[in-house]
Amino acid sequence: MDICGLILAGGQSKRAGTDKGLKLYEEKTWVELLQNKLIKLGLEAMVSINIGQQESYKRLIPEDKLILDSNNIPGPLRGILSAHRKFPEKNWLILACDMIDMREAVMQQLINSCSENKEFDFYAFKNKYFFQPFCGIYTSSGLRKLSDEINCENATDYSMQHVFKKYKTYTLNLPIAEEESFNNYNK
């Protein structure tokens, strides 16, 4: 299965007080760190942003690797479905821009599971209680179903937990040794 990387950076960063994707760690922005991790896995790396971020991100990321939000859906589905709308045949390995601790081995485990079990809409890790939507693989067919549902119904639940429960999701148990890969930094 052909998979492309997508880094979600289009949020409002209200808790952080600044654009998290542009924060620096070891002289690289968080988006660049994640982009490099995806490229190491052999994936093309795209970045989802909102219109207000366009000028800042064009200085760092080639414009053809930026995907502007193109809908009004709340939360992370805004960026995910904008990417799907622009590239409807792509399957996406999706990361949030603040997941700088994500290890390549964890992403590779997800990719391997997807390659071995191709009949699912989504692929996600799950801890004892919740799915971890990022790092997750979202197939073009799963996103097509989700997009059709949102367009046809008066959807009110846009949570990723709802999406993973409703559609055919391949679930990987979150290894305790890898929990730090799923750290996100909201401050």
Side-chain angles (χ1 to χ4, degrees):
M1 181 182 293
D2 187 32
I3 298 172
C4 184
L6 180 66
I7 303 162
L8 298 177
Q12 301 300 315
S13 297
K14 290 178 183 175
R15 288 177 283 189
T18 186
D19 189 325
K20 291 186 287 187
L22 299 177
K23 285 188 170 193
L24 292 175
Y25 179 78
E26 296 180 356
E27 299 184 29
K28 293 243 184 231
T29 64
W30 288 7
V31 163
E32 290 171 309
L33 289 171
L34 290 172
Q35 190 176 38
N36 290 339
K37 290 179 185 206
L38 292 167
I39 290 169
K40 281 183 187 176
L41 290 170
L43 303 179
E44 180 181 11
M46 309 286 278
V47 181
S48 170
I49 60 172
N50 65 52
I51 190 74
Q53 297 169 297
Q54 191 172 13
E55 290 306 314
S56 299
Y57 277 81
K58 281 189 339 188
R59 293 185 204 122
L60 291 172
I61 310 292
E63 202 166 356
D64 66 329
K65 301 294 182 201
L66 296 174
I67 300 174
L68 288 174
D69 287 344
S70 62
N71 62 63
N72 293 323
I73 297 167
L77 277 178
R78 176 178 294 155
I80 295 167
L81 290 177
S82 294
H84 175 67
R85 178 181 287 170
K86 186 167 184 175
F87 300 104
E89 300 308 315
K90 286 194 183 285
N91 304 297
W92 300 98
L93 187 152
I94 300 181
L95 298 171
C97 69
D98 61 355
M99 297 184 76
I100 59 173
D101 295 332
M102 181 55 64
R103 293 191 183 128
E104 287 92 351
V106 172
M107 292 186 284
Q108 189 63 59
Q109 182 182 0
L110 192 65
I111 291 167
N112 293 346
S113 294
C114 183
S115 295
E116 295 163 7
N117 305 280
K118 297 181 181 181
E119 66 275 10
F120 291 86
D121 297 318
F122 303 99
Y123 300 78
F125 287 95
K126 187 176 183 183
N127 65 19
K128 189 175 179 181
Y129 305 104
F130 300 105
F131 287 101
Q132 296 290 332
F134 318 114
C135 156
I137 293 178
Y138 298 65
T139 68
S140 60
S141 61
L143 290 171
R144 192 173 312 110
K145 292 175 193 174
L146 177 60
S147 182
D148 289 347
E149 174 195 335
I150 287 173
N151 289 334
C152 292
E153 298 178 11
N154 289 329
T156 57
D157 190 345
Y158 297 102
S159 76
M160 300 314 303
Q161 300 302 312
H162 169 75
V163 169
F164 291 146
K165 288 175 186 172
K166 182 169 183 170
Y167 294 95
K168 194 170 181 184
T169 300
Y170 184 87
T171 305
L172 295 89
N173 290 325
L174 180 62
I176 292 172
E178 297 296 347
E179 284 185 3
E180 64 272 5
S181 284
F182 292 85
N183 289 340
N184 61 15
Y185 297 93
N186 288 318
K187 296 179 182 179

